[in-house]
Amino acid sequence: MAKVTKRPRYVKMNGILYPEMFSPKCFKEALEYKPKPGDVFICTYPKCGTTWMQNVAMYIFRKGKEIEDPYEFLKYSPFIDMLGKEGIDRMPRPGAFKTHLPYSYMPYSSEAKYVFVARNPKDCCVSFYYHARNQPGFGFWDGEFHNFFELFMAGELEYNDYFDHLLEWYPHRNDPNVFYTTYEDMKKDIKAVILTLSKFFGQEYIEAIEKDNAVLNNIIHYSGFDYMKKKLSEVYGFNSEGRRSEPLFEGLKYMAQFTASLKPPDNLPELQFVRKGIVGDWRSHFSSEQTERLNSKFLEKLKDTEILQWYPLE
């Protein structure tokens, strides 16, 4: 591993690296949560299509009815690693929790359902870099890609190694309570993913789509990149003074206060939680040496798996 001169701000709990801006209390509550029958978890490594899948699931459960305020997204699909028990308790049901926890740490029940999304590691790395650089709570606003790439290769990022995370979930892709897809399949045919996921969630959701074509059209529209970029760009950008008349989650207050303590520059670009949403953006960032090194790790870690067919090496 080449020398790394700048790292995002992470801490460790139970062997898992997680953002230092997250409340330790909330993160512990996510780890210790005991699922209830009917719970749904959206489980991904960071920057592998999480927000997109959250929107798809939320609008399947809402049968295509638009949320009135983007802030409601945090209630209908709470990031439990960040919001903890408060996020879990305040979520209207049916709904889906978001988590990045590896399978071995996942709050598990055979009576709960799990949605896992995989993504090409090269695109994941690039998207993850911009996420760390653009979210001031990481203290990485002046970080450079070559440093982040080294951390990605070494598995020294939040939620640890991309490949280990993927390999923990991979054996469970055909479990009856697991829905498994890829970011690339969502880009290729989001309609097919929505239909299959609706059946996975339950008969009433696929029937709602079959009875009214507007339901499917709405789910597709409200889960579209342009819509999400417009509506969700400020969802996580709350300040410590609160938002309108609605109180913040304690986990968000903690994050806002921690971020303020870092004294980030005033001229930082606006946070973009939804950035480009394309396949293949890695080609404009990776050097030939970086491509070769990641390809080698890809082959080494994922040998004897179908994943080698998902992402042909370039």
Side-chain angles (χ1 to χ4, degrees), residues 126-291:
V126 170
S127 183
F128 206 173
Y129 162 66
Y130 283 104
H131 175 69
R133 195 187 70 172
N134 293 343
Q135 168 55 269
F138 287 111
F140 194 68
W141 50 80
D142 55 350
E144 297 181 349
F145 181 71
H146 67 89
N147 279 324
F148 195 86
F149 174 82
E150 294 298 334
L151 295 172
F152 187 87
M153 288 294 294
E156 296 179 7
L157 296 173
E158 57 179 295
Y159 300 94
N160 304 359
D161 187 88
Y162 162 94
F163 294 95
D164 292 343
H165 193 285
L166 177 57
L167 284 170
E168 279 199 16
W169 277 97
Y170 177 76
H172 302 281
R173 66 197 184 282
N174 296 319
D175 289 1
N177 64 334
V178 173
F179 178 90
Y180 200 80
T181 190
T182 69
Y183 183 92
E184 292 75 19
D185 281 345
M186 292 176 71
K187 290 290 291 186
K188 183 179 179 181
D189 193 348
I190 189 61
K191 178 179 177 180
V193 172
I194 290 170
L195 292 173
T196 310
L197 184 60
S198 298
K199 292 177 184 176
F200 175 75
F201 283 158
Q203 189 64 26
E204 72 171 284
Y205 303 108
I206 191 64
E207 285 181 355
I209 288 174
E210 290 172 344
K211 289 178 180 178
D212 185 354
N213 194 52
V215 173
L216 177 60
N217 290 337
N218 286 345
I219 296 170
I220 293 172
H221 174 68
Y222 297 143
S223 303
F225 176 79
D226 291 339
Y227 180 89
M228 290 192 299
K229 190 173 181 67
K230 177 182 177 183
K231 294 289 186 178
L232 300 180
S233 60
E234 298 180 0
V235 162
Y236 291 99
F238 303 107
N239 59 45
S240 58
E241 300 302 317
R243 184 179 189 277
R244 298 183 185 172
S245 60
E246 186 152 16
L248 285 168
F249 289 92
E250 288 301 317
L252 281 180
K253 288 182 180 178
Y254 185 98
M255 188 169 74
Q257 291 164 0
F258 177 84
T259 300
S261 75
L262 299 181
K263 295 181 170 52
D266 293 332
N267 60 345
L268 290 179
E270 183 181 351
L271 177 64
Q272 292 184 325
F273 209 79
V274 178
R275 193 177 65 91
K276 281 190 175 181
I278 63 175
V279 172
D281 192 37
W282 67 268
R283 295 185 184 89
S284 60
H285 294 77
F286 275 56
S287 68
S288 57
E289 181 202 11
Q290 288 169 338
T291 301

Side-chain angles (χ1 to χ4, degrees), residues 93-106:
R93 294 171 182 268
F97 304 124
K98 164 190 170 179
T99 179
H100 292 312
L101 292 173
Y103 184 86
S104 56
Y105 290 88
M106 179 64 53

